[in-house]
Amino acid sequence: MMKRTFVTILAAACGLAVTAQNKKVQVYTTAQESSRHIAKTAELNFTEFRQPLETEPCVFIDPANKFQSFTGIGGALTDAAAETFAKLPANKQKEFLTAYFDADKGIGFTIARTNIHSCDFSSGSYTYVADNDKELKSFSIAHDQQYRIPFIKQAIAAAGGKLPLYASPWSPPAWMKDNNSMLQGGKLKAEYRQSWADYYIKFIRAYEAAGIPVWGLSVQNEPMAKQRWESCIFSAEEERDFIKQYLGPTLHKAGMANKKLIAWDHNRDLLYQRASVILNDKDAAKYVWGIGFHWYETWTGGPMQFDNLRLVNQAFPDKNLIFTEGCKEKFSMDSVYNWSLGERYGNSMINDFNNGTVAWTDWNILLDEKGGPNHVGNFCFAPVHADTRTGELIYTNAYYYMGHFSKFIRPGAKRIAASSSRAQLQTTAFQNTDGSIAVVVMNTTDKKIAYRLWLDGKAALTESLPHSIVTLVVR
């Protein structure tokens, strides 16, 4: 057994052909019609099956064709999440951390996002400096020491001591903006561009001094949205110029060239236009690690626009795509068990990965029984809610749907070719660094569908239950 495992690892490392010979398939299932959640439901064997007929549904995988490397899956460690976590009893806090960050007992999150001073999911607006302090001499993260910093530290510990964290600002301080408010959009005043660039550096240094490494940062959360909460408008040209003239050089001067700088950080609808304006400028592009995106373009009534991801991936293959935020809006406790919550996550994740995305970050990792706290009443769903009145945790099926990816696809994995012969079976697949292959198959229909997992002329027969998601692990 040890010898075969070594050969498998060596073959994966050297890019040798992976076959179904002596392989088994472990099946993990979450399904609406049962109480199973990421439960091991079967172990399958491959048998000879050279040429499927059109009447024989298959999911084909081809490890010989590899695509992007996988960075991680995670969620946002916001003020709201931290404040809610602090209200839980100690045993529930431990349960929560294990559920999210333990790869064996939980779903093994491996990346996280946080906010630079306040966002809508804070109990109130605040910054880290005194008004009109252009030199940032008063800069202090004392506010975050109460809830957020202890929470992030516990998350890092639960993840085994390593949890790449990136930070996003929702708005500069009011006095730096032309509308003199952190809310309702507005723009950064020209005379404060350098001060604002310096602010990111101050934040990173302060968090790292507090024991929290910062992996990356985005330029501005949702730069085309005028919101009733913290927001700031940057046109594509304004973001490009801020990157190349201020933020990029300031990061490099501070010795932070290794921090992953993420542009856009907004919806897929304008994704290509924003990417093309910034990345076609070599003086801006040299500072940019990747393009971040959200899923809220569906506010128009249309579906998620995955083709825009594909186009950016094709046009700028040397840059990374990272999903930076998504959640179901307009919270209602009556809907926490709706199966559509998880299916929205599954649909997004499968298509985002198949179009080149390297990392996927959910929005709030935890919210309370009201979908907050949120200082402007913008209450939303999270994969896990805490009823702070009883101390209980409520797991929506979005948590389990994400787990079908995060638990089995680990950092460093490579996406491999995966093709379904039925539109009703959505799929993506990755090969991990240990040689194992994780294939995710989702069925959003009301029908049970028998199909075969096909690899190199052999296939394993299984079935997809109505409204289910499975991960098939080949090893």
Side-chain angles (χ1 to χ4, degrees):
M1 181 66 182
M2 287 300 292
K3 184 176 180 181
R4 188 164 69 244
T5 301
F6 173 76
V7 170
T8 301
I9 294 170
L10 184 63
C14 297
L16 302 178
V18 175
T19 71
Q21 190 70 31
N22 298 322
K23 297 281 198 307
K24 291 190 179 295
V25 183
Q26 296 173 326
V27 183
Y28 298 85
T29 303
T30 297
Q32 185 178 31
E33 67 179 35
S34 74
S35 59
R36 291 177 291 195
H37 295 130
I38 320 182
K40 186 176 179 181
T41 52
E43 183 167 285
L44 313 176
N45 294 304
F46 285 100
T47 57
E48 196 79 10
F49 196 73
R50 288 288 168 187
Q51 178 57 61
L53 301 175
E54 290 180 325
T55 54
E56 297 172 313
C58 287
V59 169
F60 304 98
I61 57 172
D62 180 10
N65 284 287
K66 293 182 172 64
F67 306 98
Q68 78 271 23
S69 294
F70 178 78
T71 299
I73 292 170
L77 309 177
T78 57
D79 288 319
E83 292 171 29
T84 303
F85 177 81
K87 295 176 182 177
L88 288 170
N91 65 320
K92 289 296 179 178
Q93 289 183 343
K94 183 178 180 180
E95 176 189 323
F96 172 85
L97 293 169
T98 299
Y100 264 119
F101 298 105
D102 190 303
D104 296 321
K105 299 176 183 176
I107 62 173
F109 271 10
T110 51
I111 195 168
R113 183 189 189 209
T114 198
N115 45 295
I116 296 177
H117 60 233
S118 65
C119 64
D120 49 332
F121 280 91
S122 302
S123 290
S125 291
Y126 66 92
T127 71
Y128 301 129
V129 294
D131 285 354
N132 303 311
D133 177 12
K134 187 175 182 179
E135 303 300 319
L136 310 182
K137 293 179 180 178
S138 60
F139 192 96
S140 170
I141 57 169
H143 173 280
D144 298 357
Q145 293 284 3
Q146 183 177 7
Y147 296 115
R148 185 149 44 114
I149 287 174
F151 176 54
I152 294 174
K153 284 185 171 182
Q154 289 184 72
I156 293 171
K162 182 181 178 183
L163 185 65
L165 176 77
Y166 66 98
S168 304
W170 266 243
S171 172
W175 52 272
M176 289 189 184
K177 296 171 65 183
D178 61 5
N179 68 343
N180 200 37
S181 172
M182 291 179 70
L183 319 183
Q184 299 292 340
K187 291 194 173 188
L188 176 66
K189 289 182 178 180
E191 61 264 35
Y192 293 120
R193 288 171 186 162
Q194 188 57 56
S195 294
W196 184 228
D198 292 338
Y199 200 100
Y200 299 75
I201 306 303
K202 291 273 192 180
F203 174 86
I204 293 169
R205 284 180 173 157
Y207 260 61
E208 294 193 335
I212 299 174
V214 176
W215 171 81
L217 66 157
S218 68
V219 180
Q220 167 64 45
N221 178 74
E222 299 189 346
M224 289 305 296
K226 178 184 176 181
Q227 304 284 25
R228 67 180 189 273
W229 52 85
E230 287 82 345
S231 45
C232 184
I233 305 299
F234 283 81
S235 69
E237 292 79 8
E238 288 166 341
E239 184 176 8
R240 175 198 66 198
D241 293 347
F242 181 64
I243 290 169
K244 73 177 179 179
Q245 295 171 9
Y246 296 94
L247 186 53
T250 301
L251 284 165
H252 279 238
K253 185 178 178 181
M256 298 183 183
N258 64 325
K259 304 303 182 187
K260 308 298 189 286
L261 184 60
I262 300 163
W264 187 223
D265 201 2
H266 203 167
N267 297 332
R268 300 186 191 92
D269 49 5
L270 299 180
L271 182 75
Y272 186 81
Q273 184 262 348
R274 181 67 54 140
S276 65
V277 169
I278 294 173
L279 299 180
N280 282 327
D281 185 315
K282 61 180 177 55
D283 293 326
K286 67 183 180 183
Y287 296 114
V288 177
W289 173 82
I291 304 295
F293 63 95
H294 301 180
W295 73 15
Y296 307 112
E297 71 271 14
T298 55
W299 69 269
T300 62
M304 297 181 188
Q305 295 181 270
F306 302 113
D307 281 349
N308 291 341
L309 295 179
R310 176 184 50 80
L311 190 58
V312 170
N313 187 42
Q314 291 172 339
F316 307 102
D318 60 327
K319 299 301 180 182
N320 297 282
L321 285 166
I322 176 172
F323 182 90
T324 47
E325 185 184 316
C327 75
K328 175 71 169 66
E329 300 164 283
K330 299 179 180 178
F331 177 77
S332 168
M333 184 62 85
D334 294 338
S335 301
V336 292
Y337 295 114
N338 281 10
W339 207 254
S340 61
L341 290 173
E343 290 185 338
R344 183 173 182 179
Y345 277 76
N347 179 55
S348 180
M349 296 177 84
I350 288 170
N351 285 282
D352 290 337
F353 289 132
N354 284 346
N355 285 287
T357 297
V358 304
W360 208 94
T361 326
D362 185 34
W363 189 207
N364 296 280
I365 202 168
L366 176 69
L367 292 172
D368 67 17
E369 69 278 1
K370 297 178 181 178
N374 184 295
H375 71 92
V376 291
N378 180 34
F379 301 122
C380 294
F381 286 86
V384 179
H385 285 268
D387 189 331
T388 59
R389 300 164 298 185
T390 64
E392 291 303 310
L393 291 171
I394 301 165
Y395 294 85
T396 76
N397 71 317
Y399 164 83
Y400 299 107
Y401 269 66
M402 282 194 295
H404 274 274
F405 301 84
S406 59
K407 187 176 179 70
F408 303 102
I409 306 167
R410 306 303 293 167
K414 285 273 193 181
R415 185 170 68 86
I416 65 171
S419 172
S420 172
S421 68
R422 292 292 185 273
Q424 295 90 337
L425 299 177
Q426 298 184 55
T427 188
T428 192
F430 286 79
Q431 185 170 23
N432 288 301
T433 57
D434 67 357
S436 65
I437 295 171
V439 187
V440 179
V441 179
M442 185 175 76
N443 176 1
T444 61
T445 76
D446 296 329
K447 296 181 179 180
K448 183 186 295 184
I449 304 171
Y451 69 98
R452 287 174 171 86
L453 180 66
W454 189 98
L455 170 61
D456 189 41
K458 295 182 185 296
L461 180 63
T462 185
E463 64 179 11
S464 175
L465 298 174
H467 296 284
S468 71
I469 186 168
V470 300
T471 305
L472 303 105
V473 181
V474 182
R475 63 171 89 245

